Amino acid sequence: VFLLSLSCLSIANTCLGCYLYATALLMHFAIHTMDYSSSSMAEDDNLLLPLKEWVDLSKLAEEQQQSSLPSPENIRNAQMDYIARAVVVAAVVLDKLLILEENNYNWCPQDISIDNVHLEMGAGDVNMLRQRNTTINLSSLQGIQGVKLSIPQNHTSNGGVSPDEIFKKVGLILYSIFTRGEVPPSAGVEAENNTVEEAMLNARGRIKRRGDELDDSSHDESDSYEEQAGPNKGRQKVSVQEATKTFRRMNISNVEDALFQKGVSSSLCRLIVDLIIAPEEKDTKFQSLSDAVAELQQIMRRPDACFGRDTDSNNSTTDLLSLQFGDGIVGRTEEVGTLLEASARAQMDTESSHICLIGGTAGVGKSYLVESVKDALTSNGWIYLSCKFDRLMRNQPLVTIASAMEIFVQQLINVRGLPDGFDVDAVIASIEQSLSASGIVVLSDLVPSLRVLYRSVFAHVIMDDSEDDLNYVVAEATPDEDDGDEMGISSANTLRNRLHYLFGRLVEAISSVEHPIFLFLDDMQWADASSLELLLSLLVSGDHDDDNTQCLLVAGAFRSNEVDEAHMLSRYIQKFEEAMSVNVTSIQLDVITKSATHILTSEALLLPLRLTRGLADVVHSKSLGNPLFAKSLLRQLVDENILRYSLPKKRWVWDINDVKSVSVDDNVAELMKHKLLRLPNEIQDALKLISCFGTQVSKDIVSKLRSSSENSDDAITTFLEQAREEHILDHNDQVYKFAHDMLQQSAYDLMSPEEKGAYHFNIGLRLMSSVSTEASYDALIFTVIDQINNAKRYGVTEASMNISCAKMNLQAGKRSMEVSDFVSAWQYVVYGISFLPEAKWESSTYELTLSLHEAGALACFVNVDSTNLQINLGEIFENAVRFEDKIKAYYILAQNLASLNRLKEAMTTVLFVLNELGEDFPEEVSPEDVQTAMMSTQRLLDGYSKEDIVGVPRLKDEKKQWAVKLMDFLTPCVFMMSPRLLPILANHMINILVKDGACKESAFGLSNYSLCLITLRHDYEAGYSYGKMAIALLESFGAMGSLQKVKCMLQNMVNYLFEPIQSTANVLLESYEGLRATGDNEFACLALSMYSDQLIMSGCLLPVVEKKCEEFALRSMRLHQLQYCRNLCCTHNRVLSLTGNAEGKNPFDLLRDNDIATEDDLLQESLSTGRSGLSQRIYFLRMFTSFWLKKYNKAAEFAAQFRNAGRISMRFIDIYCTFYEGLAVFHLARCSTDKVIKSKWMDIGEKSVDRFKVWQEHSSWNFENKLYLLQAECHRCAGENDNADAKYLAAIESARRHRLLHEEGLAMELYASFLEETGESEKSKTRLSLAIECYEKWGATAVVKLLHN
């Protein structure tokens, strides 16, 4: 309790009620831990201040505060400050008395008096308060540390004090505290010793004055009397029973009036009055002081009840007569704590992603639970964003989650609704830097306010090819369009990945540890696949590192009874739980307990629990503990006038028998439906109308419906406003929203299927007239076509509109694909096809039919719906008239085959199409074909400079465009399946480039030729030159995605031959960022794999490489790039063997694959599946580490296996394999006594020297030291010691000069071995020490250990 109090106090500035409650709890804690002796002296430095004196001082403080600024507002504030202090003191006093009661204290009447109560306070506070000539220090008044009860010396316990007398004494103490030391009016206190007749005489005038407020009372003639003659002659006959009740009411009224005049709320008044004057009803009497303590604590938990509306003259009668459910939440303390704990974890642990999943049936308060923590989160700097999925309407794809970001951007623009201390300018700059201009443009389709926030960007932005990707999704592939591209698997995935990446960067730019994001997704059982994919990407695919910090907690609420194992959401929940980087918190909400229903009922009526207990029992029984059901039932009781507000009694009243007799429905939905049926028909019709849009509808749409109707009046708005007054709708400046989705469902279900269809069709028809002139065309067309499609679902159509509807569905489907929502796209295509006539392939609808089936094939392909994919492709292959009309279908077919790893079939399909387009390829590639192709390409490019290539006209021929595109698709298949075909492929692409024109795919023809020149002809300069041409051509197209891809390949296969390795490594890392930004996750992870190779070979510190490999492998796994994750696990595994950290670590655990638990398992799989690239990589890494760990035989063996794996290429690792193999075989040659074997080793080593002589000519930075070291070893084997000595020294100096730390150490080590061999032991030791020093800096602990041994 003490710790909870401290937590409450931490938000004291934002919630006075929490402050009061927390203070009372602190006092409660203090009292329970102190010595309850009756001594009148305080211990240590504390003094006792009589309660009466505290009241006088506090009253004086109030007067001083009021006189300082005699305005009504200040007077009111001073009054409320006094009451705040009084509530705390009252709680402390009641707690003390309760403890005595629980300890069976024997009361006597004299004990319970304000004169006997003393407050224990610090001596300094007491002394300061007693300095009457100064202003009262308010903090000193609040410095209460406990309560002492001074027992009078004449205390005698007769054991006869009744509970009612004790309650009355306690009530008098509270009365005195709150009325600033006054005593109750005489009618309420002194009359207890008077006769009824005397009391009636005294109260006669008051009865007349207040007669209008008295309820009718029954008369009992048997108890009546009549006045005698005399001075009082003429009195009326009045019953004794009526007189007693009247006098009692007068007592209560007098006490209440006195308290109200002091600013005390009705709830506190009721507590005090019922203590002083015991209620007549047995069920509402106090049973013990614990009831009074609980009631005061309940009042303190609800500040609106404590400082209530009934004391505010500005409140209307309507507010007074309405139920007050408030913003608090009851019965969910544990769940609130769990949610807040999850938020604390998310704020502290930025290396993981966090999601809190909240399940429960409809109406149990899932949304309410999340909203209840909103204030606590925002007060601590959180950015609270929320959105709600809808069961009825899809509207614009991804718009649900994007709407939350849209609201936030609007807050940035208006600079409101943001946490305290939020740096708006810094976040705006961060978003622009993180997204780049093109990224902002892409996201602006989903977050339109970005166009307002970044006006300058939209004025000057130059679109890159990723925006072209957005265009070519909906573009026809015509010769006059530069980017007449058609989306296939790579383009579809690239676009989806880019959107996911940009959303992730947006979250990273906005969030921080100081201002994390809380994203609430409501009704996730209705979430679409695209939104769930985006959520999965945000949680699983984020780059959690020092440069990219995502501080995000997602809270998702869903109806668990509607989500079974087959539900789509279940599959995603499983993915969240299986992801190692995602921290999942689960909360299951059940119905609330009976005690929670008691609190809910009590607080709704602003009555204490003791007064509502019977009503709450019935409500709980009928609602079965469902909070929404309980609230609806209470509102039903009000509607039926069973529960009503009594102005004379100033409280809600009811007849419990009438409550019990109310019939209720079996579920919440039926209860809601019956509530709606009680409304006037006009309001029902308005609710039916907007229910067709789902749980909410924009006011702009309602305005369009009004303007398009025959009666352009405010009738709809008027009825919707009346529905709001009935608590059915909420609204703000932008939308009408059902108060709960169950209300929307109930309103929708008021209609028959035929009526639903008619409503939907009428709405679509009325809005369609706005489409052509509407600025925000995209959003409106989705609304229109969704209404038309829903009407068709119920059998309502109009034949004359079918073609228009089919076209609109096609447009909606293409737009869905633009934002990577291929599930919705397929649904729109299905509807579009359903609107076509039976003879759809006839000329009038031929093009529309073809486009719909092409879009359908693509959507099914991305959705992995093979059945419908084959149906759509079959329709095209069977009915398309021209071959050109089938090309797109063949393209999708080929990519589907490739995605299934059926590369040979994919190649066959593409080669068939290319042959039909006039591009012939040989079935079997001979060496002569390769040479012919190389020579032909050389002639084609002869005389072309980089400027000439960039100046080539753009390709316009549609067939040639498709041919180049298909050959570009074919390139990776050729690399893996038929490398000898690569020169021929490059020749065809460059032939079209030179003779017909250039497109962005032409650059891949140049890069392919570059690789062929280096690999086949060893013409490094020419290869490097054509690589530069490829980059220049892509830059001229502004094709950033393709540019990063080509750069990535060239850095690993060409540029390292000319540029410093440290430079090419950094370019690869930059390419990763660029590829992620364009959505090409596959090539992005390939760049990471290549970067890790170059990082380790560049001499980067091994601990850094180890961390990077682990981080990159995890990124690749998050991005679903298993191939490159495996590559990085292999590199990580080998680095661990060099750093000596391998024990207890297995990088392959990341794969979570029982079949791939070790590197050996991975090698066996790669060999069995023919993945030569992976097996070569493993052999290379094994050769590398074997060499460093002095296992030279193994190193030579692995090098031979690397060469024999069969791939024809010239890659980065090929050169380094040559280097380490050369050093290993020279060592083996020196150790060999067999001349034949020694000759074999020397032959391999000398070939290594020869190759490095060539390579060194192009890059002395990368290869000079390696050449010197190989030459030194070669001279050493030949016994040419002087030459060897000179080359060793040259290798050491060159490695140092070119910042190759590890190779400097290696040259030192081999030189030390050479010196030892030649008898110069002391020099050898010195060089060996220097080698060890280099290795220690490098982090190669295992190597150092070997040398020490």
Side-chain angles (χ1 to χ4, degrees), residues 844-1079:
S844 60
T845 56
Y846 176 85
E847 293 296 336
L848 177 60
T849 303
L850 177 63
S851 297
L852 279 167
H853 282 291
E854 286 174 343
L858 175 57
C860 292
F861 169 51
V862 179
N863 295 333
V864 198
D865 183 354
S866 57
T867 301
N868 284 309
L869 170 62
Q870 295 303 323
I871 291 173
N872 280 275
L873 291 177
E875 281 277 343
I876 296 171
F877 293 146
E878 183 178 347
N879 297 288
V881 177
R882 300 167 299 176
F883 182 80
E884 295 92 302
D885 294 338
K886 302 178 182 181
I887 295 177
K888 300 173 190 176
Y890 278 118
Y891 185 43
I892 295 172
L893 174 61
Q895 294 185 88
N896 182 54
L897 292 170
S899 70
L900 298 173
N901 207 27
R902 295 160 61 179
L903 298 182
K904 188 173 182 179
E905 293 175 66
M907 285 182 62
T908 302
T909 300
V910 172
L911 290 173
F912 162 74
V913 178
L914 288 171
N915 287 334
E916 290 292 325
L917 293 174
E919 303 292 333
D920 296 327
F921 285 82
E923 294 184 6
E924 296 291 335
V925 180
S926 65
E928 291 75 17
D929 293 330
V930 172
Q931 291 301 320
T932 300
M934 292 294 291
M935 293 177 64
S936 172
T937 305
Q938 183 177 354
R939 286 193 298 271
L940 286 169
L941 291 174
D942 189 30
Y944 273 86
S945 65
K946 181 170 67 176
E947 291 72 21
D948 294 333
I949 291 293
V950 171
V952 170
R954 297 307 190 237
L955 180 61
K956 299 298 183 180
D957 188 305
E958 180 182 359
K959 291 184 178 181
K960 297 297 182 181
Q961 285 178 343
W962 270 115
V964 177
K965 179 181 294 297
L966 289 167
M967 286 187 277
D968 176 43
F969 163 78
L970 203 57
T971 297
C973 298
V974 167
F975 259 106
M976 288 184 278
M977 301 297 297
S978 181
R980 293 184 182 277
L981 192 59
L982 188 63
I984 302 173
L985 194 65
N987 176 249
H988 279 266
M989 296 178 79
I990 291 172
N991 185 61
I992 293 175
L993 165 67
V994 172
K995 294 180 178 179
D996 300 288
C999 59
K1000 60 185 178 183
E1001 288 81 10
S1002 303
F1004 289 93
L1006 289 168
S1007 64
N1008 288 344
Y1009 182 56
S1010 170
L1011 299 179
C1012 291
L1013 285 171
I1014 290 174
T1015 301
L1016 300 176
R1017 291 193 171 182
H1018 306 297
D1019 190 344
Y1020 303 109
E1021 292 290 349
Y1024 186 58
S1025 174
Y1026 285 116
K1028 293 289 188 181
M1029 285 186 184
I1031 291 174
L1033 181 60
L1034 287 170
E1035 288 175 339
S1036 72
F1037 277 94
M1040 299 307 296
S1042 300
L1043 176 62
Q1044 296 297 340
K1045 194 183 297 187
V1046 169
K1047 279 186 175 181
C1048 180
M1049 297 303 298
L1050 292 177
Q1051 294 301 318
N1052 197 55
M1053 294 187 172
V1054 178
N1055 292 13
Y1056 71 92
L1057 291 166
F1058 297 89
E1059 301 167 10
I1061 185 173
Q1062 295 90 345
S1063 172
T1064 57
N1066 288 334
V1067 171
L1068 283 168
L1069 191 57
E1070 292 170 3
S1071 294
Y1072 164 77
E1073 296 293 343
L1075 289 161
R1076 284 281 280 128
T1078 57

Side-chain angles (χ1 to χ4, degrees), residues 108-120:
C108 73
Q110 301 95 318
D111 293 344
I112 312 174
S113 168
I114 191 171
D115 297 324
N116 297 339
V117 181
H118 296 74
L119 304 179
E120 185 176 1

Side-chain angles (χ1 to χ4, degrees), residues 170-191:
V170 172
L172 292 173
I173 293 175
L174 298 186
Y175 181 93
S176 183
I177 293 172
F178 283 99
T179 58
R180 287 69 164 171
E182 296 181 5
V183 296
S186 59
V189 179
E190 297 175 0

Side-chain angles (χ1 to χ4, degrees), residues 13-14 377-383 417-423 514-515:
N13 291 335
T14 60
L377 292 173
T378 54
S379 66
N380 282 302
W382 282 76
I383 300 167
L418 299 168
D420 292 338
F422 191 79
D423 193 335
E514 295 78 17
H515 297 293

